[in-house]
Amino acid sequence: GSMTRLAAVAAAAPRGLPALLMDTAPAAVLGALDDPRVAEQPDALIANVGNFHCLAFHLVEGAIAGCFEHHTGELKPGQLEELLGRLASGELTNREVFESMGHGALVLRPTPESRPFLAVTGPRRALLRGSALAPYFAVPHGAMMLAGCFGLLRAFAANYPETAETIGAALATG
């Protein structure tokens, strides 16, 4: 089967209680949107540069235009910048990411004229320090290392609308 670790955790959850399981990288990308500067961008690349995996999404007007995931340790100097630039334009292919030891890429909507705002989070975000892409280091609620937690809360609220008001209020005052 697929996603065996998540399936095992789901099976261990108490019956009858609402639960949501999410990988840490997309949770951190979602959490980065809680940084006010990131939230106001109509065209953004958001990358979570984790210890083992790098995941990036290109969001245009709140919709996913494309994404890729790579092994952070396999990235050569300058390669992350190249991948992000090609994701921004929509030219990135699954084959080039996969053949460079990454997981893959998906472009849903090419955006050749796009010059997105680059927001970065994650413990290895310094890989982009000084980049010509001028990355902004997202700090949602003043705590970059909790971006995944904030993203998980936002995802929970989206999947359990009865909790959205309470979660939103807690995040707004937190």
Side-chain angles (χ1 to χ4, degrees):
S2 63
M3 297 191 212
T4 54
R5 289 183 292 177
L6 286 176
V9 171
R15 297 276 179 232
L17 292 178
L20 180 99
L21 299 175
M22 191 173 185
D23 186 74
T24 57
V29 168
L30 182 59
L33 291 170
D34 266 17
D35 181 302
R37 187 149 174 226
V38 179
E40 69 187 18
Q41 304 301 321
D43 186 1
L45 283 178
I46 304 175
N48 178 64
V49 188
N51 287 320
F52 299 104
H53 291 95
C54 178
L55 178 71
F57 279 88
H58 184 193
L59 302 175
V60 179
E61 300 294 342
I64 298 170
C67 64
F68 75 84
E69 184 171 28
H70 210 293
H71 294 102
T72 307
E74 293 289 337
L75 293 168
K76 311 291 183 268
Q79 186 179 11
L80 181 53
E81 285 178 298
E82 175 72 17
L83 292 171
L84 289 166
R86 291 179 56 71
L87 177 62
S89 68
E91 297 171 300
L92 188 63
T93 67
N94 182 62
R95 169 177 246 150
E96 71 185 285
V97 173
F98 189 74
E99 288 180 353
S100 68
M101 303 302 292
H103 286 282
L106 174 66
V107 172
L108 298 170
R109 192 174 85 206
T111 51
E113 304 303 316
S114 184
R115 298 292 174 265
F117 177 86
L118 173 59
V120 183
T121 190
R124 298 203 47 206
R125 64 198 177 281
L127 287 174
L128 287 166
R129 192 171 307 285
S131 164
L133 298 176
Y136 169 74
F137 294 99
V139 186
H141 306 285
M144 185 283 302
M145 289 303 290
L146 294 179
C149 298
F150 300 130
L152 189 59
L153 284 168
R154 293 291 183 190
F156 189 88
N159 281 276
Y160 295 97
E162 66 277 12
T163 68
E165 188 176 327
T166 302
I167 289 172
L171 287 173
T173 60

